[in-house]
Amino acid sequence: MRIGVMCSGNGTNFENIVTNPVCNKHEVVLMIHNTKQCGAVKRAAKWGIPHVRVPHKDEDQMIKLFETWRVDLIILAGYMRVIQNPSTFPAPIINIHPSLLPKYKGLHAIEQALDSGDNVTGVSVHYVNEELDGGEIICQQEVPILPDDDIDSLTKAIQRIEYGILPAAIDFLARYKIGLC
């Protein structure tokens, strides 16, 4: 399966997709980023993956790039902008989100879980549609909120789960939903 990834930040989930053994039968062919200081650029260069900066409002250019690279699946891995017209993209788009959707959509989901007094939060992988964090859920995993957790410790716990759940979701989609194995 040919994968396109969209990033805005450090790129740890991006690199995890590239290096995780669960994903080694798939090929990340393109990474699009929308920020000047995107850490994922260094990771893409390290692994020899083409990368292009595209302003987040230029969805037509993104679509053309993904069509040119013939991607089968697009993954938002820390892409911090809303895709306005996901149904016009040439492949399904999935996103990883740090909450048990439908709870805590959008930004600051980890802080919201801490502030709410919840004793559990989690990670969701879902399809992207026109509603913010509202697409069909592919898979979820709970993360306990420990009594002494703060934003940093809970963020790290959530990231550890993300590194396992996202490759598993990609493999599941390739085998059962998209059928491109």
Side-chain angles (χ1 to χ4, degrees):
M1 178 169 61
R2 297 172 62 83
I3 297 173
V5 182
M6 297 175 69
C7 301
S8 295
N10 192 26
T12 57
N13 269 313
F14 165 72
E15 188 166 39
N16 181 49
I17 295 165
V18 173
T19 61
N20 192 296
V22 172
C23 294
N24 68 4
K25 60 184 156 262
H26 313 298
E27 181 183 10
V28 177
V29 296
L30 178 66
M31 188 272 287
I32 291 177
H33 62 99
N34 65 331
T35 58
K36 291 179 183 176
Q37 302 299 322
C38 181
V41 170
K42 288 182 183 175
R43 296 174 192 273
K46 172 183 169 184
W47 293 101
I49 296 169
H51 50 89
V52 180
R53 181 171 177 251
V54 178
H56 68 272
K57 292 184 179 185
D58 195 350
E59 290 190 6
D60 289 340
Q61 184 181 0
M62 292 176 202
I63 290 166
K64 287 176 188 170
L65 285 164
F66 286 134
E67 286 173 344
T68 300
W69 285 91
R70 300 181 332 272
V71 300
D72 302 306
L73 179 66
I74 299 166
I75 302 166
L76 305 184
Y79 190 74
M80 301 307 290
R81 292 293 183 172
V82 173
I83 302 295
Q84 296 298 319
N85 299 299
S87 61
T88 61
F89 279 68
I93 304 172
I94 66 171
N95 182 42
I96 188 158
H97 184 75
S99 79
L100 292 174
L101 291 172
K103 246 183 159 175
Y104 310 127
K105 295 180 178 185
L107 297 175
H108 311 294
I110 299 170
E111 292 93 330
Q112 290 177 62
L114 275 172
D115 292 345
S116 73
D118 290 353
N119 59 7
V120 68
T121 186
V123 176
S124 301
V125 179
H126 65 93
Y127 286 103
V128 174
N129 65 8
E130 281 71 17
E131 180 188 342
L132 176 65
D133 294 327
E136 178 187 349
I137 294 170
I138 299 162
C139 57
Q140 294 181 310
Q141 187 169 337
E142 290 185 350
V143 176
I145 300 175
L146 305 176
D148 59 342
D149 266 335
D150 60 17
I151 189 67
D152 292 332
S153 62
L154 187 54
T155 298
K156 287 177 185 170
I158 285 172
Q159 286 174 333
R160 285 190 296 273
I161 298 303
E162 287 178 346
Y163 298 155
I165 196 172
L166 185 55
I170 293 165
D171 194 52
F172 169 79
L173 290 174
R175 288 178 190 226
Y176 303 107
K177 293 286 187 171
I178 299 174
L180 296 171
C181 268

